[in-house]
Amino acid sequence: MKTIEKTLSDRSDIDSMRSSPSQKPDESLGRVILQRLKIFNTLLDSRFEDLTRETWVKTTYRDMSAGLSVALTAIPMAMGFAMAMGLRPEQGIIAGALACVIGRTWGGSKYQVYGPTAAFIPIIAALMAKYGEAGGGTFAEAHGFLVFVSVISGVILMLMGIFGLGKYAKLVPNSIIVGFTVGIAVAIALSNFESILGIESFADLLGEDEDLTGGLWHNLAMAYENIDKINLWSVSLGLATFVLTKGLLRISIFIPAPLLAIATSTILAATVMSGKGVILVKDIYGSIPNNFFVFTPPVMPAISGGVVIDILYFVAAIVFVSAVESLLCSSMADRMANNRKTPFNPDKEFWGQGLVQIITPLVNGFPCTGALARTATSIKAGAVTPLAGYFKAIFKLSLAYYIAAYLEMVPMACIGGILLWVASNMIKISEIKEVFNHNKFHAGLMVFTAVMVPVTDFLTGVLSALVIYFVAYRFLDKPANEQEKVTKKAVSVKPQAVLSTPGNFNSVTIPLALTAEDVGLLRYAARLAKLGVAKEFHFVHVVTPHEKSRNPASASHLKKGMAEEVMQYFDGALEQVKVDYQTIDGSSRMDELVKFTLAAKSDLILLGHRKNRTGQRSLSRRLAMITHCSVWMVPEDCGPEIKRIVAPVDFSDPSADSLSQATALARVNNVSECMALHVFFDESVIRYDEHEDIVRGEEEAAFAKFMMRIDTHGITVKPVFEESFNVAHAVLRRAEEYQADLIVISTRGHSRAATMLLGSATSQVMAESKIPVLAIKHYGDQLSIMKTLLASRFWERSDPKTN
């Protein structure tokens, strides 16, 4: 931690030097550069600020699981990207692993995952086609030239970081970024069309048989000329890979969809499609070696005017893509991870990117940059620090080492299917709409770039668009009419229909431990009894074999102890409610409680949890999954008074039910206001200044419509909107800021398998909350993994961002 504090103080020193008038310009600049170099090479800095003595075990585990999730997804994508560039499959594997280690060591972002990206495909493919076998050279010469221009690009990026040019990369208009992304997606899809059709000639390596310039007409002409050679088996494999990958990722990002899709297609090709003429990776590339680390020195072709122009072209292209992609990815990562601590450092990011472009190609790799999709997957899987990148590299190399012999059996149609999926997901309709809504000038700029990139080439399209922008933006970049904004205000709406009878529970089961831990729980239960929240209270003590061996007391003796304990707190309330006491012998406390609630027809379980079990609370979370009733979890030392209530809502019927319950409980406790918290997240990477207001206005309009069907029982509902990817953390943070005493949240009783696959905000809130949580079971729902998938309507979800 001292290193982190020292690094932050170094940054403040730089700021003070910039503003100090006593320093001569040369001396000040020299000091700034030296301080930057010191910061850039401080490896244990603020990126590791979440790794503390108290949390290092949990943080390390989260980073390790995130690294594994990304590694499983990254292997087939890295192979596909490498082959689309005209390189060998194993080069994609080593490039992705090594780039992540280098970038995570010297980069400026806590979360960014580095590796091969789609934006580099047309650039590297064009270089390999021109200087490789298709252009009269050799594969080694072409790769050596790639190493040469990449090293130069790396040096330029490092100098950009040293001189603080990171802020200038943000000057590239969003419209051009969206346009070149769409153009690249089109180029990738067209250049891999032949692989899916199964008409790729063995003599023409994938990505090397053509320049991407004019790729549209070349591919259409070739498909037409060879229409009689189309292999329907290859077409079915390619399309199956595309559909399976797309579908599985819509279900959950925790599924290694590309790997599963390729494995399925490979098995089919080796069994039922054997001998059907399906082209495999080994047919073109031979065996895939597992000795990944091979030194590949730079190669300088004979100097000529054309070579000099090519050097300038490819260096500029690599620098541009590295700068824009890495800063976009870093910015997106901070927003997605809800990073409220030290933000990413763009200058240090350039330094790390430079080292990636220098070192990675020298070890049998190629240029890499921050990968949006893999970074998002890493964050969603729980990554907290750069350790996730190291784990990703270790897992990726280890897996690839042992399955290298099987990777060569992958059908080329599968690689085409993966790249078609990549291309389709690069085009984000929401981002295109945002550019169109911004103004006509940027809309035209986006369309121009999207057309020019595949028709001409990457750099020509982008540079011409930049020229147009900087010449015309002063005259044509006029702001669009401001969108109508929905004003934030408290909402109190008469209902059209009531979903349930809230605020009262007929029968409450309360598990007691018969120890001092029961004190807070009994006080809480007595308060609910006095308020008339419940009519019947069933106090239960489960006697496990371990407890019986320590204290062989009779059932009557235990019941007497329970009654005495309850009387201390329920005195005065016993006349209003019905109370009984039960002892149950059983090996599993949870199983016996489930059976008892069914027999007693309880609609609520009220239970407490000790402080030393905070973060686990497996009993309350499992009961919320499998019982038919609601679960009210009370952490130890929580007072019985309820003055402020937070109800998270997602506009679903279950959340409408829980909000109605929350307002009813507010009325019972004489609370005049209830907070309805809606957490949303817009995955658009490209944003304009008005974007947040537009999205928030849409959410507020949806909330107003949602409130029309809820009985608020005369309580004022205060709507609060929070943009965050992690719903549970946003709920807990807002509840703490609001000084809430109770969180009322809906649960459908997702099974353990569904929770592991899809996550559960309710389960996470119950695990980490410092205040009581009431999980309202929606009409006794208990959803299996299949029912959960169907209820989620995953087929209607948008695809994750891919690059």
Side-chain angles (χ1 to χ4, degrees), residues 507-793:
S507 174
V508 183
T509 294
I510 304 177
L512 295 179
L514 296 182
T515 65
E517 300 166 10
D518 293 335
V519 173
L521 181 62
L522 288 170
R523 285 176 179 167
Y524 207 91
R527 171 73 176 173
L528 297 182
K530 291 175 183 177
L531 292 173
V533 173
K535 300 174 183 178
E536 296 181 4
F537 289 84
H538 304 281
F539 294 94
V540 181
H541 176 68
V542 178
V543 184
T544 63
H546 177 68
E547 182 181 348
K548 184 174 288 188
S549 64
R550 289 188 305 148
N551 182 21
S554 63
S556 59
H557 180 74
L558 290 174
K559 287 183 181 180
K560 182 179 179 182
M562 293 169 66
E564 292 174 353
E565 194 173 22
V566 171
M567 282 292 294
Q568 297 180 44
Y569 303 95
F570 270 67
D571 188 26
L574 292 177
E575 298 177 359
Q576 307 172 28
V577 297
K578 179 181 177 182
V579 177
D580 64 56
Y581 312 96
Q582 297 289 336
T583 60
I584 306 172
D585 292 338
S587 58
S588 170
R589 189 183 183 201
M590 183 178 64
D591 290 345
E592 298 304 328
L593 287 174
V594 172
K595 293 177 185 177
F596 181 84
T597 55
L598 285 171
K601 298 181 180 179
S602 293
D603 52 0
L604 176 68
I605 297 177
L606 180 70
L607 74 163
H609 272 286
R610 297 198 302 266
K611 282 183 178 179
N612 60 356
R613 290 187 180 177
T614 299
Q616 299 175 11
R617 295 173 180 166
S618 58
L619 180 60
S620 59
R621 293 161 67 191
R622 289 288 289 142
L623 287 172
M625 289 181 191
I626 64 177
T627 60
H628 67 288
C629 60
S630 300
V631 176
W632 197 324
M633 187 273 299
V634 182
E636 190 177 6
D637 292 342
C638 284
E641 297 290 329
I642 299 176
K643 298 179 180 178
R644 294 188 178 185
I645 300 175
V646 172
V649 297
D650 60 3
F651 306 156
S652 64
D653 286 346
S655 70
D657 195 17
S658 63
L659 180 57
S660 186
Q661 291 277 6
T663 54
L665 289 172
R667 184 188 60 183
V668 170
N669 285 273
N670 294 318
V671 177
S672 61
E673 178 186 89
C674 178
M675 176 192 286
L677 174 62
H678 175 56
V679 182
F680 65 96
F681 185 77
D682 181 73
E683 293 195 1
S684 297
V685 179
I686 303 300
R687 289 184 160 195
Y688 288 100
D689 293 339
E690 67 269 20
H691 176 92
E692 184 175 343
D693 292 335
I694 294 173
V695 173
R696 193 173 293 269
E698 292 172 351
E699 297 293 339
E700 290 172 352
F703 178 82
K705 183 178 179 181
F706 167 74
M707 288 297 298
M708 294 299 294
R709 66 179 194 265
I710 299 175
D711 185 357
T712 60
H713 306 95
I715 302 299
T716 298
V717 176
K718 175 184 177 182
V720 175
F721 301 88
E722 173 89 1
E723 182 174 13
S724 175
F725 173 75
N726 193 314
V727 176
H729 286 175
V731 170
L732 294 172
R733 183 177 63 255
R734 280 289 188 171
E736 185 177 4
E737 293 172 357
Y738 190 57
Q739 297 181 333
D741 306 296
L742 176 65
I743 297 173
V744 181
I745 190 169
S746 64
T747 178
R748 293 190 178 187
H750 288 178
S751 66
R752 180 175 290 183
T755 300
M756 291 174 63
L757 181 64
L758 303 176
S760 171
T762 302
S763 180
Q764 191 174 355
V765 166
M766 295 182 76
E768 301 179 15
S769 178
K770 297 178 182 178
I771 62 174
V773 177
L774 172 56
I776 299 294
K777 184 65 70 71
H778 186 66
Y779 302 123
D781 277 352
Q782 296 180 54
L783 298 187
S784 64
I785 187 168
M786 184 57 66
K787 289 181 179 178
T788 302
L789 289 175
L790 293 175
S792 70
R793 301 182 69 84

Side-chain angles (χ1 to χ4, degrees), residues 15-26:
D15 294 334
S16 65
M17 285 186 293
R18 286 173 175 167
S19 59
S20 176
S22 60
Q23 294 288 337
K24 294 181 180 180
D26 292 343

Side-chain angles (χ1 to χ4, degrees), residues 106-186:
W106 282 281
S109 171
K110 299 178 187 177
Y111 312 102
Q112 187 160 218
V113 175
Y114 302 81
T117 56
F120 275 128
I121 289 178
I123 301 168
I124 298 176
L127 184 149
M128 295 300 296
K130 188 168 185 177
Y131 288 88
E133 294 178 8
T138 65
F139 178 86
E141 291 172 348
H143 185 257
F145 184 53
L146 174 62
V147 175
F148 178 76
V149 295
S150 184
V151 169
I152 296 175
S153 304
V155 172
I156 293 174
L157 285 165
M158 293 173 73
L159 290 174
M160 290 172 64
I162 290 174
F163 288 100
L165 301 181
K167 56 187 177 182
Y168 295 110
K170 299 178 182 179
L171 297 178
V172 179
N174 291 337
S175 52
I176 293 180
I177 295 173
V178 174
F180 98 75
T181 302
V182 173
I184 288 172
V186 172

Side-chain angles (χ1 to χ4, degrees), residues 66-130:
L68 178 60
S69 297
V70 176
L72 291 173
T73 302
I75 290 176
M77 290 180 66
M79 289 176 56
F81 286 160
M83 288 186 278
M85 294 171 182
L87 298 165
R88 292 187 54 82
E90 68 270 16
Q91 290 179 292
I93 296 172
I94 181 58
L98 190 57
C100 212
V101 171
I102 298 167
R104 282 303 183 103
T105 302
W106 282 281
S109 171
K110 299 178 187 177
Y111 312 102
Q112 187 160 218
V113 175
Y114 302 81
T117 56
F120 275 128
I121 289 178
I123 301 168
I124 298 176
L127 184 149
M128 295 300 296
K130 188 168 185 177

Side-chain angles (χ1 to χ4, degrees), residues 196 231-242 265 268 273 278 413:
I196 296 178
N231 188 312
L232 295 180
W233 298 101
S234 291
V235 173
S236 63
L237 284 176
L239 294 180
T241 303
F242 171 79
S265 297
L268 289 174
M273 297 185 187
V278 175

